[in-house]
Amino acid sequence: MPSFPEKDPVAVHLLDELPRPTPVAGVASRLLEYLTSGDIPVGTKLPPERELAANLKVGRSAIRGALAALEVLGIVEIRPGSGSYLAGTSSELLPQTLRWGVILGSTETSELLQIRSELEVLASRLAAEQIRDADIEFLTKCVEEQEASFDSVERFVEGDQHFHARIAKVAGNHLLADLLSTSRSLLRIWFDRSVEDQSEMVLAVTEHRAVLTALSIGEGAPAAEAMRTHMVSANRRLQTQIGSEQAQ
């Protein structure tokens, strides 16, 4: 993402107070509407989290989640130690707004999790039938990198992303791979925080190894079953995190 020169913070009074209760999606939708109004120059610095939280009468965790969602969409740039900045004009952001806005405002995340699960299972079934030694080697390295990254959520999540993306690629269906990439992007703001507990990391790696073993056999049914088992526990972690965020 490109960097922009720092400008003075926008006036926080322009944002109206949100009604209670306010989930992360509600905060993100309000900020999205505000930032795409066309009145804010590219590169403008947003108010600090504490000011946004006080103004919107929500917890700072809801603000952090909303800003993370908008960063995924390319609407804001979060600079550690500096703050959050508008990363595009309203005209540039409009196509993304139209594409993602409905999901941002939706509370039916369980349906998205269900769709993602079935897509992952399908990808594993297809991948098992055409996987090569090079793919097995790559997936093995992904799992090993995760095992060595229990002290870093960022590196652990990156390994997870590479693992699932490779399976989708090996499946040989470009639309399937795109749909999986999209669903993961939408869930990323929660996924990154759902594996902060090391016991959850260990479980995820164990399940990845089971998927890898099943893929190595070269038969669709065992690979699909191993991935389905993994998706059950992954969805449990995500739903717990989403429920916690939306309750604040």
Side-chain angles (χ1 to χ4, degrees), residues 6 30 45 55 65 131 141 166 173 184 187 194 204:
E6 295 188 9
R30 180 61 61 84
K45 184 176 182 179
N55 186 255
I131 198 163
K141 289 182 179 179
R166 185 58 169 248
N173 186 307
R184 186 180 180 90
L187 294 167
S194 70

Side-chain angles (χ1 to χ4, degrees), residues 95-144:
Q96 290 179 317
T97 301
L98 294 175
R99 181 180 177 185
W100 302 90
V102 173
I103 298 296
L104 263 180
S106 174
T107 59
E108 302 299 326
T109 49
S110 61
E111 294 182 3
L112 179 57
L113 289 172
Q114 182 181 34
I115 291 172
R116 182 212 172 200
S117 295
E118 294 304 317
L119 292 176
E120 292 281 8
V121 170
L122 175 59
S124 296
R125 183 185 299 276
L126 295 175
E129 298 170 355
Q130 49 194 332
I131 198 163
R132 301 170 301 174
D133 290 343
D135 299 315
I136 296 297
E137 182 179 351
F138 180 89
L139 293 172
T140 300
K141 289 182 179 179
C142 288
V143 175
E144 291 174 347

Side-chain angles (χ1 to χ4, degrees), residues 43-125:
T44 297
K45 184 176 182 179
L46 276 63
E49 287 181 3
R50 63 179 181 277
E51 291 186 30
L52 289 172
N55 186 255
L56 298 176
K57 300 297 187 293
V58 296
R60 291 181 65 175
S61 62
I63 297 298
R64 286 193 296 270
L67 290 175
L70 296 179
E71 183 181 33
V72 169
L73 303 183
I75 294 171
V76 301
E77 176 189 0
I78 299 178
R79 305 179 197 171
S82 178
S84 301
Y85 300 80
L86 179 62
T89 64
S90 59
S91 59
E92 292 170 339
L93 298 175
L94 183 57
Q96 290 179 317
T97 301
L98 294 175
R99 181 180 177 185
W100 302 90
V102 173
I103 298 296
L104 263 180
S106 174
T107 59
E108 302 299 326
T109 49
S110 61
E111 294 182 3
L112 179 57
L113 289 172
Q114 182 181 34
I115 291 172
R116 182 212 172 200
S117 295
E118 294 304 317
L119 292 176
E120 292 281 8
V121 170
L122 175 59
S124 296
R125 183 185 299 276

Side-chain angles (χ1 to χ4, degrees), residues 154-170:
E154 182 179 357
R155 293 201 308 272
F156 185 89
V157 170
E158 183 178 5
D160 182 275
Q161 181 178 356
H162 290 163
F163 183 86
H164 285 277
R166 185 58 169 248
I167 293 175
K169 179 180 179 180
V170 175

